[in-house]
Amino acid sequence: MKTILETIDTRYGTDNSHSFSHGNTLPYTGTPFGMNYFVPQSSHTDGAWFFKPDLPIFQGIRLTHQPSPWIGDFSWLLLTPVTEKISKPDIYHRQSSYRPDESIFQPHYLKIHSNRYQVSTELTPTTYGACFRLTGQGAQPISLILHSEAQAHFRMLDAYTLLGCLKEETNPAKQALTMHVCLRFDQPIQASHALGEDLVLDFEQGQLQFVLATSFISEEQAVTNLPQADFDRVKEQTKQAWESYLHRFDVVEQGKVDRRMFDQTLYRLFLFPQTFYEITPEGQEIHWDFTHQTVQPGKFYTNIGFWDGFRTNFPLLALIAPDIYHDFLEGFLNFYKETGFLPKWLAPDERGMMPGTLIDGVIADATAKNLIPDLEKDLFQAMLETAEKEDSSKRYGRQGASDYQTLGYLPSDHHESVSHTLDYSYSDFCIASLANKLQQEQVAQQYSQQSLNYQHLFDPETGYMRAKDRNGQFRPDFSPYTWGRDYAECSAIQNTFSVFHDIEGLKELMGGQTAFTDYLTKLCQDQPFFDVTGYGYEIHEMSEMATAHFGQLAISNQPSFHIPYLFRYSDKPEYTSLLIKSLREQGFRPGWQAFPGDEDNGSLSAWYIWSAIGLYPTCPGKPFYDLGIPLFNHLRLYLPQSQTWLDIYARDNNPHFQFVTKTKLDGQALQQISHEELLVAKRLDFHLSWLPNASKE
């Protein structure tokens, strides 16, 4: 059965705090990869954590662009329907209670009933806006309060239409950003007045319908972006948009498992990056250029971090949504043309966060799978320029690029130097791969050699990747349990395995396959200890690892994502399926506490989907998938690149069968699957068992 959209509850993973994450998600209602999302706000005093699933408080519908609480929101607008005269400007004095269990939180439809005002608020979105339907239960006319912390100006276009302009500065560069908003009502605005810094619109009736759209271009474009159909038609169109993606997965035979978490992760996969370009009345694609503060032609996407996304969600989109994957890269190429650098973390402009320039992995994966032949040469040039020049502001490109080129590693006076070095080495592999494809032999040779730079930081005495100073000396005060300082959101224990592109080389450094196996086993069997020296306090990722009982396998965060699949390269390949099934069952729970850590813009959701399919892209940029263990008895997967369906079977899929005895692709046994093999295959069979094979696979 294909996913029934109405069964998805967008509140999964929304029960969070600053100090502990169960996803750090928001219950977004929107279109796939839409420009705006809409969320009921329950608290105006908790900063980025403005929605609590168990707090029955409704402060209004928030038009939001927040990709993560750690990034924060921009260009947001709160719309609150009321039926009373509100005299105090504080949001607390206008909020109402609501019944969470009687509300509807779906990807394409939101419904909230205000107990105080006896008004039902319904919303269905479009890419650039939404349709609203407000239905009062009494005779009191409805008013609408508009609130924003940006510098907001509103004016009447006519009796039915309101135009707004929200001005603010983007972080961290403080470039100006203006969001234009247009609201068109089905009845005339009777009156309007200020409530502090907010605007109140009064209407004559107790029922109100209106459409809303935004634009980062102009007022005229905001008007153009307005929904052009009635509420029910828009709802149906948005439902179809969601189903066009969700229905590429068809659970034919579920088996003795719960599919709610699978459906939830599918919804999350298609949220980010968000659209940041618009279509003119003439059909031209245009977007706002932050660097030159002007309008430019072409696509653009934002609200995505590549440190998170290159590992799981981009490779998954490459497999099941290659057309939109191409669009994304076209948009990111436009960013390079305007800044001279490929992006690292966009929200909406470059944030300069997290190590590496890991969009390189997204590009290399696309080229290895022949998804972007028309963009390869331009993106290759962009990868080279981003790698070889240094930005003095440290927002763009490789931090410490000159030191890396001179020393072959990033020295310890750079923050998170080990993580940066390992990520740069992987990016060098990505550049070399594309150089080989384009027959740029000299570049390929240079970057292939640089891809081995990770070896400079391996300490054979301790068996870990360690920071070095400029003289080549390891940092003396070392503990493998120390998070931060030299490592990004992990310790040496996890970060040592961040050598996706050269697992065999890493095994050799560690002392061979047996030593590699022992390291992996110890990591999983170890106590989840941590040392806060690097941060000076316990960050939430430490807390999540410590409470999860998965040893040092911190599945809550990206550096651990691929570790269970590394057993496929060890003396104990059967341990991969054992770990994956345990992590699926114990780490992910249907409900408000759905995820074992930050969901991070689809990356953790995509990890779950891969692990439900039975495959994993251990090294994006290499067109191969490692084998796991499927969740369902029979799943059909649509592959647009070949326009075929792949049938994936889990034979003897009993709850206590945690091992895979053999895997066959169209009847042929195999240990790894290439992307090309997958595209032409008809069926993939996993045979499960209670105990592993008696002999090595």
Side-chain angles (χ1 to χ4, degrees):
M1 178 185 292
K2 296 176 181 177
T3 301
I4 300 173
L5 186 65
E6 289 82 358
T7 64
I8 296 175
D9 192 321
T10 61
R11 290 171 289 185
Y12 278 29
T14 60
D15 182 12
N16 304 285
S17 68
H18 183 276
S19 56
F20 202 94
S21 174
H22 293 109
N24 263 326
T25 61
L26 285 170
Y28 300 117
T29 293
T31 62
F33 313 113
M35 176 174 279
N36 309 300
Y37 292 130
F38 298 88
V39 174
Q41 179 168 300
S42 55
S43 173
H44 65 293
T45 59
D46 292 324
W49 289 266
F50 56 81
F51 175 79
K52 303 288 185 183
D54 292 320
L55 181 62
I57 298 299
F58 177 54
Q59 297 183 335
I61 301 295
R62 180 159 169 159
L63 186 162
T64 177
H65 301 98
Q66 178 169 293
S68 158
W70 311 112
I71 298 295
D73 211 346
F74 63 90
S75 299
W76 62 268
L77 178 67
L78 184 69
L79 301 96
T80 308
V82 301
T83 56
E84 300 173 9
K85 183 178 180 180
I86 308 297
S87 59
K88 295 184 178 180
D90 187 85
I91 293 177
Y92 176 79
H93 290 89
R94 73 186 69 154
Q95 69 185 32
S96 168
S97 61
Y98 80 105
R99 298 187 180 102
D101 59 334
E102 296 178 5
S103 302
I104 299 175
F105 287 76
Q106 295 171 355
H108 70 307
Y109 178 61
L110 181 65
K111 185 177 182 179
I112 299 279
H113 182 75
S114 164
N115 294 328
R116 174 178 174 181
Y117 304 113
Q118 289 295 295
V119 173
S120 289
T121 299
E122 297 174 89
L123 178 150
T124 190
T126 63
T127 299
Y128 299 107
C131 297
F132 288 77
R133 187 159 59 197
L134 310 181
T135 307
Q137 302 302 310
Q140 289 294 104
I142 289 175
S143 296
L144 188 66
I145 305 177
L146 307 182
H147 167 78
S148 174
E149 291 184 355
Q151 184 181 356
H153 301 280
F154 295 95
R155 69 181 181 90
M156 299 280 292
L157 182 63
D158 55 48
Y160 295 85
T161 309
L162 181 76
L163 292 173
C165 177
L166 280 65
K167 296 181 178 181
E168 59 190 339
E169 293 180 331
T170 61
N171 291 316
K174 304 301 181 183
Q175 292 109 325
L177 177 65
T178 300
M179 184 180 76
H180 305 275
V181 60
C182 180
L183 296 90
R184 181 166 290 164
F185 304 92
D186 69 345
Q187 57 184 277
I189 301 169
Q190 293 298 308
S192 64
H193 66 273
L195 180 64
E197 298 296 319
D198 300 340
L199 178 67
V200 182
L201 304 175
D202 298 326
F203 298 89
E204 189 175 53
Q205 301 175 22
Q207 286 73 41
L208 176 67
Q209 294 193 44
F210 65 95
V211 292
L212 174 152
T214 67
S215 170
F216 291 96
I217 304 298
S218 66
E219 289 183 342
E220 294 76 15
Q221 189 62 42
V223 175
T224 297
N225 293 344
L226 284 172
Q228 298 302 306
D230 62 25
F231 189 99
D232 293 326
R233 181 58 183 155
V234 168
K235 183 181 178 183
E236 180 60 27
Q237 291 171 344
T238 304
K239 178 181 179 179
Q240 292 174 8
W242 275 108
E243 290 176 343
S244 71
Y245 287 110
L246 298 175
H247 289 181
R248 299 177 191 195
F249 301 82
D250 185 6
V251 181
V252 181
E253 186 180 343
Q254 188 170 325
K256 300 176 182 178
V257 296
D258 191 333
R259 68 172 292 170
R260 289 178 295 170
M261 199 62 222
F262 182 75
D263 289 343
Q264 172 69 203
T265 56
L266 290 185
Y267 147 71
R268 293 274 167 200
L269 175 66
F270 302 116
L271 290 170
F272 298 99
Q274 288 184 252
T275 298
F276 202 77
Y277 72 94
E278 303 169 46
I279 311 294
T280 69
E282 297 75 30
Q284 184 185 10
E285 298 169 343
I286 56 174
H287 67 273
W288 182 249
D289 174 356
F290 291 95
T291 302
H292 303 100
Q293 293 286 291
T294 188
V295 178
Q296 296 288 349
K299 295 182 176 67
F300 192 82
Y301 293 88
T302 191
N303 279 1
I304 192 66
F306 296 98
W307 188 85
D308 308 285
F310 91 94
R311 306 164 199 263
T312 54
N313 43 326
F314 276 104
L316 187 52
L317 292 171
L319 185 64
I320 55 91
D323 289 346
I324 193 68
Y325 193 100
H326 183 285
D327 289 349
F328 294 154
L329 284 174
E330 187 179 338
F332 301 143
L333 182 60
N334 284 330
F335 181 85
Y336 157 74
K337 292 175 180 177
E338 291 157 13
T339 64
F341 294 91
L342 287 167
K344 298 168 62 173
W345 225 121
L346 293 172
D349 192 12
E350 178 63 75
R351 293 295 187 97
M353 300 177 63
M354 305 308 296
T357 51
L358 291 169
I359 190 175
D360 295 324
V362 178
I363 297 168
D365 206 49
T367 58
K369 297 168 183 174
N370 296 312
L371 300 180
I372 53 167
D374 56 320
L375 303 179
E376 286 179 352
K377 290 183 179 179
D378 288 341
L379 284 168
F380 175 65
Q381 183 60 42
M383 293 167 80
L384 281 177
E385 191 168 347
T386 301
E388 294 179 352
K389 70 179 182 181
E390 196 164 357
D391 172 43
S392 58
S393 72
K394 299 184 178 181
R395 285 177 61 215
Y396 302 101
R398 296 188 180 186
Q399 295 184 28
S402 58
D403 284 337
Y404 177 78
Q405 292 163 7
T406 301
L407 300 171
Y409 62 91
L410 210 62
S412 56
D413 52 43
H414 289 275
H415 183 55
E416 300 174 336
S417 62
V418 175
S419 293
H420 275 94
T421 298
L422 300 184
D423 289 347
Y424 294 168
S425 297
Y426 167 70
S427 282
D428 289 340
F429 154 78
C430 294
I431 294 171
S433 298
L434 184 49
N436 274 317
K437 187 176 184 182
L438 297 175
Q439 299 181 337
Q440 300 285 329
E441 296 180 2
Q442 186 174 350
V443 177
Q445 183 177 0
Q446 174 191 343
Y447 277 86
S448 183
Q449 183 61 42
Q450 287 180 193
S451 75
L452 303 179
N453 280 344
Y454 72 89
Q455 298 176 356
H456 295 308
L457 297 188
F458 185 79
D459 176 17
E461 183 175 338
T462 63
Y464 297 104
M465 298 289 179
R466 290 179 58 182
K468 280 183 176 179
D469 63 20
R470 293 178 179 273
N471 297 317
Q473 301 299 308
F474 287 116
R475 184 187 294 278
D477 53 335
F478 173 74
S479 166
Y481 297 101
T482 296
W483 283 53
R485 190 166 62 181
D486 303 323
Y487 311 96
E489 297 183 1
C490 62
S491 71
I493 296 173
Q494 299 87 25
N495 211 175
T496 295
F497 279 126
S498 295
V499 186
F500 318 99
H501 60 291
D502 191 21
I503 295 171
E504 294 304 315
L506 179 62
K507 286 162 66 171
E508 186 176 343
L509 285 180
M510 287 182 163
Q513 182 152 303
T514 299
F516 180 78
T517 305
D518 291 344
Y519 186 114
L520 280 168
T521 305
K522 181 180 184 299
L523 180 150
C524 296
Q525 298 281 55
D526 202 357
Q527 293 296 313
F529 297 140
F530 55 84
D531 181 342
V532 305
T533 301
Y535 290 105
Y537 61 95
E538 183 173 336
I539 65 172
H540 73 90
E541 289 90 349
M542 300 175 191
S543 307
E544 292 142 19
M545 182 186 74
T547 58
H549 302 294
F550 299 142
Q552 290 287 332
L553 206 168
I555 198 61
S556 59
N557 215 33
Q558 283 77 7
S560 287
F561 279 7
H562 67 302
I563 290 176
Y565 293 92
L566 292 181
F567 276 103
R568 296 292 302 174
Y569 300 82
S570 79
D571 291 328
K572 298 291 184 179
E574 67 272 17
Y575 282 7
T576 287
S577 62
L578 178 66
L579 291 175
I580 292 302
K581 194 162 185 176
S582 296
L583 291 167
R584 274 194 333 231
E585 294 177 353
Q586 303 302 317
F588 298 81
R589 305 179 183 90
W592 312 155
Q593 300 181 351
F595 297 96
D598 285 356
E599 195 269 346
D600 280 334
N601 306 111
S603 62
L604 192 52
S605 286
W607 185 93
Y608 184 91
I609 296 167
W610 280 117
S611 298
I613 292 174
L615 303 170
Y616 192 77
T618 303
C619 181
K622 293 185 178 181
F624 296 95
Y625 304 101
D626 285 315
L627 301 175
I629 182 169
L631 175 64
F632 304 112
N633 289 2
H634 181 193
L635 171 72
R636 300 191 78 216
L637 184 65
Y638 182 67
L639 306 176
Q641 197 174 359
S642 56
Q643 299 183 1
T644 58
W645 286 89
L646 175 69
D647 288 276
I648 302 174
Y649 296 90
R651 304 298 185 183
D652 298 316
N653 188 22
N654 298 306
H656 58 294
F657 280 30
Q658 305 193 66
F659 296 96
V660 177
T661 57
K662 58 184 175 183
T663 307
K664 293 184 176 181
L665 188 69
D666 288 339
Q668 298 296 313
L670 76 170
Q671 302 297 323
Q672 193 182 58
I673 303 175
S674 74
H675 183 72
E676 288 300 317
E677 288 173 329
L678 207 63
L679 293 181
V680 299
K682 300 298 183 184
R683 62 183 294 162
L684 176 61
D685 290 272
F686 293 81
H687 295 263
L688 277 55
S689 65
W690 189 11
L691 294 174
N693 288 333
S695 59
K696 196 180 288 185
E697 289 182 88

